Amino acid sequence: MSKVLEQIEEIVLPIATELQLELVDLAFEKEGKHWYLRVFLDKEGGIDIDECALVSEKLSEILDKNDPITQNYFLEVSSPGAERPLKKEADFEAAVDKWVYITSYEPIADRKMWEGTLTNYDGTTLTVEILDKTRKIVCEIPKDKVAKARLAIKF
């Protein structure tokens, strides 16, 4: 995580904790000519728009006084959505028995993408059951090879 995002995390965490929310992710990204600071929060049962607005107000007040970001940007506070990213240990543990989408940095057993049920996570390896046409295949993916992981919607 960049130094700026680490500083933003230090500002956001007390606000999230006070409101009994979980900080899921932070992103500082350029889209076109504009920069966006995105704060993703959640809680059991989901976060609503009023909670997002409250966090945005509290965060804006603090950032107006002590902002580690030098350029102009837009602040967005939202839910991570149904396809929530899996980043922390607790995210992977909570995703066991759920449908997930995972990509890797390099091919593992001739694949770089898996979509299926996360059947196990032991702290170092993700075990995913996927369907290859009509066959069920169990794949083991070392966590240190995971580029991105998120919950997925099964159709």
Side-chain angles (χ1 to χ4, degrees), residues 10-27:
E10 288 176 13
I11 295 169
V12 174
L13 275 174
I15 297 169
T17 302
E18 172 191 342
L19 299 172
Q20 298 179 334
L21 302 172
E22 174 193 2
L23 175 60
V24 174
D25 201 8
L26 288 172

Side-chain angles (χ1 to χ4, degrees), residues 11 30 34 36-37 43 53 70 74-75 78 83 88 106 111 116 121 123 126 128 130 151:
I11 295 169
K30 187 172 186 181
H34 299 288
Y36 294 85
L37 173 59
K43 70 175 185 183
T70 56
F74 295 98
L75 173 63
S78 67
E83 294 188 333
K88 301 176 216 149
E106 57 192 50
R111 291 181 169 270
Y121 174 65
L126 292 89
V128 181
I130 64 169
L151 295 177

